[in-house]
Amino acid sequence: NKYTQITLLEEIDAKGFAGLYNFFYLPMDVHNRSNVGYAFINFNAPSSAQSFFKAFSEHHFTRFPSRKVSSVCAAHVQGLDENLRHFENRAVTHAKNDQYRPVVLNGAERVDFLEAVEQAKARLGAGCGKDERAPTTLGQEAVEQAK
């Protein structure tokens, strides 16, 4: 659980996923300054989510030696706008340390979370509601591998 937002995103991007996602959240234990063992990532297209699923299912993380391997599944909350709505009123979105806040991206550019929420509200208000396509938001969990 030594990965930070930056180091995990570097590993994800190094596997060819840079620019293919628009939302990322790695929950952190603020007292221990470590991640809690799972993350959420929303992809721009279902095909990118499927590629990520293949690449990171049973992935052995490289930066820190560990017996942990990742497990990937579809998340309960799907889509950028739905994730923004889900996290809009959570304390974590107002954390002083931006390493603890969800990341919203437009291509490679980081977008202010509150601005992204306002844009999502405008899209939802304009009738661009929930997308019923294949899953784009995946949850990733590092689990201890059995010996």
Side-chain angles (χ1 to χ4, degrees):
N1 299 26
K2 296 179 183 178
Y3 274 83
T4 64
Q5 189 180 88
I6 290 171
T7 56
L8 185 53
L9 285 173
E10 286 173 348
E11 190 155 335
I12 290 168
D13 289 352
K15 299 265 283 166
F17 293 97
L20 300 180
Y21 54 91
N22 52 21
F23 179 88
F24 175 83
Y25 177 52
L26 177 65
M28 300 293 286
D29 179 332
V30 294
H31 300 294
N32 295 321
R33 295 186 178 187
S34 63
N35 73 66
V36 297
Y38 58 90
F40 300 97
I41 185 166
N42 185 72
F43 289 91
N44 299 323
S47 59
S48 298
Q50 291 166 352
S51 296
F52 182 88
F53 181 87
K54 290 175 188 170
F56 279 90
S57 288
E58 299 186 28
H59 173 73
H60 293 266
F61 294 97
T62 59
R63 184 163 299 219
F64 302 106
S66 173
R67 294 185 317 217
K68 292 183 179 181
V69 294
S70 67
S71 169
V72 181
C73 64
H76 176 71
V77 177
Q78 289 292 314
L80 174 61
D81 292 346
E82 293 299 324
N83 274 288
L84 292 171
R85 271 189 10 180
H86 179 77
F87 286 101
E88 176 183 8
N89 295 315
R90 306 289 168 116
V92 70
T93 62
H94 303 289
K96 290 181 182 178
N97 185 338
D98 69 351
Q99 284 292 299
Y100 297 160
R101 284 184 251 151
V103 175
V104 182
L105 298 162
N106 184 5
E109 297 293 318
R110 191 168 179 158
V111 177
D112 178 74
F113 185 84
L114 296 177
E115 287 178 27
V117 167
E118 292 305 315
Q119 292 169 1
K121 286 180 180 177
R123 284 190 298 273
L124 291 170
C128 303
K130 200 172 183 179
D131 190 352
E132 298 297 333
R133 293 180 300 169
T136 57
T137 306
L138 300 175
Q140 178 184 24
E141 176 181 30
V143 294
E144 193 77 26
Q145 187 176 29
K147 288 184 180 180

